[in-house]
Amino acid sequence: MYVLMYEYDVDATRHSEFERVYGSAGDWADLFRKSPGYVGTDLFRRVDETGDRYLVVDRWSSEQAFLAFKASFGAQYERFSNQTRGLYRAEVRLGALETGGS
């Protein structure tokens, strides 16, 4: 399993729209589902004093599956990324994880 994690700072007035686009049944997941290597997306919102922060976790069967998706759908990915930028104040790529061992 290959996991990508992003943190977003979202204005309180945009929470619902952000959740609709970035959630497990959202617009991003719809794009990712075009790839057989896509496993799923989880969306988490902080519940402490920084409740405007979200964690998005995208799961792929492997890094190669994600790279194949980007090769096939890179233009759509970039276009959609540009269109959704207004939903958040800041985006931080926290990193990528891979399951260890066999």
Side-chain angles (χ1 to χ4, degrees):
M1 176 98 45
Y2 181 70
V3 177
L4 293 165
M5 296 179 303
Y6 294 86
E7 183 181 57
Y8 293 89
D9 182 10
V10 179
D11 185 273
T13 63
R14 310 287 314 254
H15 284 191
S16 293
E17 188 177 3
F18 182 86
E19 291 171 11
R20 181 184 56 75
V21 172
Y22 284 82
S24 61
D27 298 341
W28 272 110
D30 287 345
L31 175 61
F32 295 156
R33 272 191 278 282
K34 294 180 178 186
S35 171
Y38 173 67
V39 176
T41 294
D42 293 307
L43 177 65
F44 302 92
R45 185 172 65 86
R46 291 187 65 159
V47 294
D48 57 13
E49 72 282 352
T50 56
D52 289 342
R53 298 218 188 256
Y54 285 83
L55 175 67
V56 176
V57 178
D58 296 320
R59 292 173 283 116
W60 297 84
S61 59
S62 66
E63 182 179 13
Q64 292 75 21
F66 174 68
L67 295 174
F69 162 80
K70 290 281 295 239
S72 296
F73 299 98
Q76 286 178 279
Y77 182 95
E78 288 303 317
R79 199 168 36 256
F80 195 55
S81 182
N82 290 332
Q83 291 171 355
T84 58
R85 234 175 231 124
L87 294 178
Y88 53 86
R89 293 182 286 233
E91 172 190 53
V92 176
R93 184 178 187 269
L94 299 176
L97 301 171
E98 209 171 55
T99 53
S102 305

